[in-house]
Every structure is written in C-alpha cells, then in structure tokens.
Amino acid sequence: MTAQSEPLGFIGLGIMGRGMVGNLLGAGFPVSVWNRTAERMTTLAGAGAVPCANPAEVATRSRIVFTCVSDTPDVEAVILGDHGVIEGAAEGTLVVDMSTISPRATRDMAERLGARGVQMLDAPVSGGSEGAAKGTLSIMVGGDAGQLERAMPAFRAMGKTITHVGPIGSGQTVKLVNQIVVVLNMLAAAEGLLFAQAAGVDVRKALEAITGGAAGSWMLANRGPQVIARDWRPGFMVDLQQKDLRLALEAADEMGVPLLGTGTVFQLYRTLQRAGLGKEGNHALAKALEKLAGLEIGG
Ligand code: NAP
C-alpha cells in the first residue's frame, strides 16, 4: 500500500478542520470524519467524507488520523478519552495532531500511544482560516522523520510550507514561538500608531512611511490598516490568541524563563475578554492601549 492510498481520518471540523478536510477530499484521499457537533459533518459527507460515530471508529477505518480541536484537554479527550482514537487504532496507525496545544501534553500523549504501537506527530499550523481553505498553511512538524514522510502527501494537500522542526513536541514549541512574535509585533504596531495619533500626525501617512522599512512586519502591514479603519473582524480571535499565550507562559514557567512582553500582552488581552471582546480579532489589542491612553487611533 503506498502512502498516498493510506485511508485517512480527521477529527474536528471547526473553522480550520473543515477547510483542511475539503482539501484532502479535493486531492482524492479517502477521509473518515468525526465532529462533536454532528451537523458539521453533513456538508463534508456530501463531498465524499465518511461520517463516523466517534473518534474510535475514525481510527478503526484509518491508518493516519488527524486531529484539529481547540485546546489541550480537547485533544486528550478525542485521543485518550472514552471512544477515543486509542480505542480504535491498530498497531502502526499514525496520529497527527494539528491543533495548537501544550508541548508537554503532546509528548505525554505520544508516549501513551507509543506503548500501544501507535505513532504520533505534532503538526500545528499557521495561516488562519484562509490558509486552511486554500491549502496554503504553514505546518510545523515535530516527530520522527519517517512518519513525516508518511504523512507528507496529506500535508501537501493542506499546506504550502512544511517544516520538520525536531522531535515530538517541537512543532508545538515552534508554534508558540510564532505566537510570541506575532503578539509582540501587534503590540509594537498598536503602540506606534497610538503615539502617532497622540502627536497629531496623519496615522495613515505614518503607516505608509514605516511599513516598508526596519519597523515593518506582517502584523503592521495587514492589521495596522484594520486598526486605523476600526475594523475588528477576526482573522484570529482574541480568545484563541489568549489560549496560545497561556500555553507559551505555562511552557516558559516550566522552563523557569521570564517572558516579560508576552506576559504584558496576555494581561492586556485579558482586559479585552473582560470587556466582552474575546471574539474580535487579535489586532483589537490596540483597544486595550487606547483605553489606557484615553484616545482612539484613526477612525
Ligand atoms: P473552532 O472553529 O472553534 O473549532 C474547534 C473544533 O474543535 C470544533 O470541531 C469543535 O467541535 C472541536 N472540539 C472542541 N472541544 C472538543 C472536545 N472536547 N471534544 C471534541 N471536539 C471538540 O477552532 P479552529 O479555529 O478550527 O481551531 C482549531 C485549532 O487550530 C485550535 O487549536 C487553534 O488554536 C488552531 N489554529 C486556529 C487558527 C485560526 O485562525 N482559526 C490558526 C492556526 C491554528 P464542535 O463543532 O462540536 O464545537
């Protein structure tokens, strides 16, 4: 049996999962699926996916099982819980977790699966719902190189940049590095724009002048204009961003490493959640600074 023809399973058809499964089906893979809210399986079933009763059934029908659910306890539930993947997976099955969760919990789960002859890769992604829908995700993979080769045809259907970053758990660690850099770039962008506003210069001109220079970043170029236009629609929600910062701070705590900037941004996002803004985009970080300064950027 070639790697390409190994039957696939996919658990978690949220914003990310449904786009990823759409691309697997589009590339011709057979895919069994399960989602906690069963109605979310209907559209994909119409596109050829096989809906299952629980994660164990997905594992029984598959040789490679992907998961993309919200947080660490959710991945643990679908893999290790009642009717979880571990109950249905035959020896030699490969489990690939594409959620963003704790690196340590990932290593623990890999050990539990390994004791049953089941392999695991961690393969968190960046690129958002758009990347999931278009199949252009960046995928950061931790685990055995041979297992990565096995999953590669499926990864290629879902992503554009696939990087093997080290042993199991490393994918999650690198994803948290990504999140630290993203939020600190957003803090820098928001603070700079706030300063421009306070000084009375044209914030659009200020943005135009600095975006291509040493201050440039993806967040400044893409979210800066949204802040100025006061468009808070999410590419990535505050609530999920906050979950990822919590994971980064927990991992840093385990290592005894201070993360001063990340800690500050975590608390600023907390003020937004308290104000009921958890479903807004992560660039709403600007609103937390505006509240402290008593002024608004752009408009
Ligand atoms: P989402 O739209 O909220 O979907 C979450 C999925 O997880 C749903 O299918 C949900 O099932 C399922 N789920 C949650 N808890 C569960 C549990 N205890 N048992 C079974 N299923 C459970 O989230 P998403 O945006 O697809 O994100 C999924 C993962 O990808 C997260 O770890 C997120 O951090 C990561 N990610 C997201 C983005 C993004 O831009 N959205 C980008 C990169 C990475 P129901 O349908 O029943 O609720």
Side-chain angles (χ1 to χ4, degrees):
M1 182 180 277
T2 65
Q4 279 85 344
S5 67
E6 285 195 289
L8 307 182
F10 205 106
I11 292 166
L13 307 176
I15 291 174
M16 298 300 283
R18 73 181 80 116
M20 292 151 94
V21 171
N23 284 315
L24 291 172
L25 292 169
F29 290 100
V31 192
S32 301
V33 296
W34 178 79
N35 194 67
R36 181 179 59 182
T37 307
E39 306 86 77
R40 283 184 155 178
M41 293 191 276
T42 314
T43 312
L44 287 166
V50 178
C52 293
N54 51 51
E57 190 192 339
V58 173
T60 306
R61 291 173 156 273
S62 314
R63 293 295 291 161
I64 306 182
V65 181
F66 296 88
T67 54
C68 190
V69 296
S70 306
D71 203 346
T72 307
D74 309 312
V75 178
E76 288 171 342
V78 299
I79 292 181
L80 304 175
D82 281 350
H83 306 297
V85 169
I86 198 165
E87 288 183 14
E91 206 175 315
T93 302
L94 171 62
V95 173
V96 183
D97 179 37
M98 304 190 77
S99 328
T100 303
I101 66 160
S102 152
R104 185 165 54 83
T106 297
R107 288 189 291 271
D108 291 347
M109 260 184 286
E111 214 175 298
R112 292 271 301 274
L113 290 168
R116 305 278 282 262
V118 174
Q119 312 296 315
M120 183 173 180
L121 296 173
D122 56 316
V125 301
S126 79
S129 54
E130 200 187 35
K134 289 186 178 164
T136 57
L137 293 169
S138 293
I139 309 178
M140 298 148 248
V141 188
D144 177 74
Q147 296 298 328
L148 168 56
E149 276 314 303
R150 197 178 158 194
M152 196 53 109
F155 282 150
R156 285 210 190 93
M158 296 186 275
K160 206 164 69 174
T161 310
I162 298 124
T163 312
H164 188 202
V165 294
I168 187 77
S170 309
Q172 296 296 354
T173 300
V174 172
K175 169 74 188 187
L176 297 181
V177 172
N178 181 75
Q179 299 305 71
I180 291 166
V181 176
V182 162
V183 296
L184 291 176
N185 274 318
M186 191 59 235
L187 181 68
E191 194 163 292
L193 291 174
L194 187 86
F195 175 81
Q197 183 77 39
V201 299
D202 182 330
V203 285
R204 286 175 183 79
K205 289 275 178 226
L207 184 66
E208 193 186 316
I210 68 168
T211 297
S217 69
W218 189 95
M219 290 305 273
L220 183 73
N222 291 277
R223 300 299 176 227
Q226 266 192 275
V227 169
I228 293 171
R230 310 203 67 72
D231 170 4
W232 310 109
R233 283 173 299 172
F236 189 60
M237 278 188 301
V238 166
D239 283 342
L240 277 180
Q241 181 69 83
Q242 184 70 331
K243 181 258 301 182
D244 292 353
L245 296 189
R246 191 200 78 231
L247 293 169
L249 291 170
E250 281 171 5
D253 189 43
E254 284 164 20
M255 296 183 285
V257 172
L259 291 186
L260 302 186
T262 307
T264 300
V265 176
F266 179 84
Q267 298 300 342
L268 289 168
Y269 277 128
R270 181 67 85 216
T271 68
L272 296 179
Q273 289 179 309
R274 293 289 299 173
L277 305 180
K279 305 288 178 238
E280 294 197 345
N282 56 356
H283 53 294
L285 184 59
K287 284 188 181 178
L289 300 188
E290 288 175 342
K291 186 135 200 259
L292 293 172
L295 58 85
E296 276 191 3
I297 300 164

